[in-house]
Amino acid sequence: MAKAEKATAVAELKSSFDGSNAAVLTEYRGLTVAQLKQLRVSLGENANFAVVKNTLTKIAANEAGFSQLNDLLAGPSAIAFVNGDVVEAAKSLRDFAKANPLLIIKGGVVDGKAMTPAEISKLADLESREVLLAKLAGALKAKQGHAAAVFNALPTNMAQLAEALRVKREGAGE
């Protein structure tokens, strides 16, 4: 590979690192081209899966601030650059690795934090971002309804208390 080609490859990798909020490093030894294509399809639109050269990736990762990946870059490596929901990408990788044991998740970086394969698996166990946001919205709505009921109960109770006091005074005045 010529020096200009290496510089271009490093620039493209750096751009991929810069444009992603997570990168998951895998080993793909033994997978066929068809299986890699299937993995790319399963990752969907929010992730880009690329086979990489370790030395060029180390340079690009260091330039982009993903130096946590340096120790993992050994053997045949491929990286899933995640641009959207990290949980969905982690689920896709985990599910594909279960179906195809030759895909090994080595680790990754999510929002600047190094992640072990076990942590990525735990991340995959989470519900999707949309589901979590829906649950949060439901909880907030329930709290607002409860607060409205409490605020409404105060004047209602005060009115009932005043009416009871009025009735008692009228009964005492007879």
Side-chain angles (χ1 to χ4, degrees):
M1 189 179 262
K3 190 170 186 167
E5 291 175 358
K6 288 180 182 179
T8 303
V10 168
E12 287 176 7
L13 284 169
K14 183 181 182 306
S15 173
S16 294
F17 278 118
D18 288 339
S20 64
N21 55 345
V24 180
L25 190 65
T26 64
E27 182 178 319
Y28 65 94
R29 186 182 324 219
L31 292 175
T32 65
V33 172
Q35 289 171 321
L36 289 175
K37 183 178 180 183
Q38 180 186 2
L39 174 58
R40 286 184 178 101
V41 169
S42 72
L43 285 171
E45 295 291 320
N46 69 340
N48 179 26
F49 189 77
V51 174
V52 295
K53 291 192 173 284
N54 292 337
T55 53
L56 300 179
T57 305
K58 283 181 184 180
I59 295 168
N62 287 331
E63 288 179 9
F66 282 73
S67 59
Q68 302 94 324
L69 294 177
N70 286 346
D71 296 337
L72 303 175
L73 287 165
S77 299
I79 300 179
F81 296 102
V82 183
N83 301 325
D85 189 3
V86 179
V87 173
E88 288 298 320
K91 281 181 185 181
S92 296
L93 285 168
R94 180 198 58 193
D95 294 345
F96 188 86
K98 282 182 182 178
N100 300 284
L102 294 175
L103 181 75
I104 299 168
I105 298 173
K106 295 180 181 180
V109 176
V110 177
D111 292 328
K113 181 186 179 295
M115 303 278 287
T116 65
E119 290 172 327
I120 292 171
S121 180
K122 285 182 184 177
L123 188 64
D125 291 336
L126 291 175
E127 293 175 339
S128 71
R129 182 177 190 270
E130 289 78 22
V131 171
L132 292 174
L133 288 174
K135 285 185 175 184
L136 176 64
L140 289 175
K141 183 178 178 187
K143 290 293 181 186
Q144 288 176 341
H146 180 69
V150 168
F151 290 135
N152 190 32
L154 290 174
T156 303
N157 288 344
M158 186 63 165
Q160 290 172 348
L161 182 61
E163 179 63 19
L165 186 59
R166 185 189 64 77
V167 168
K168 184 176 180 181
R169 284 190 179 162
E170 284 180 0
E174 290 179 10

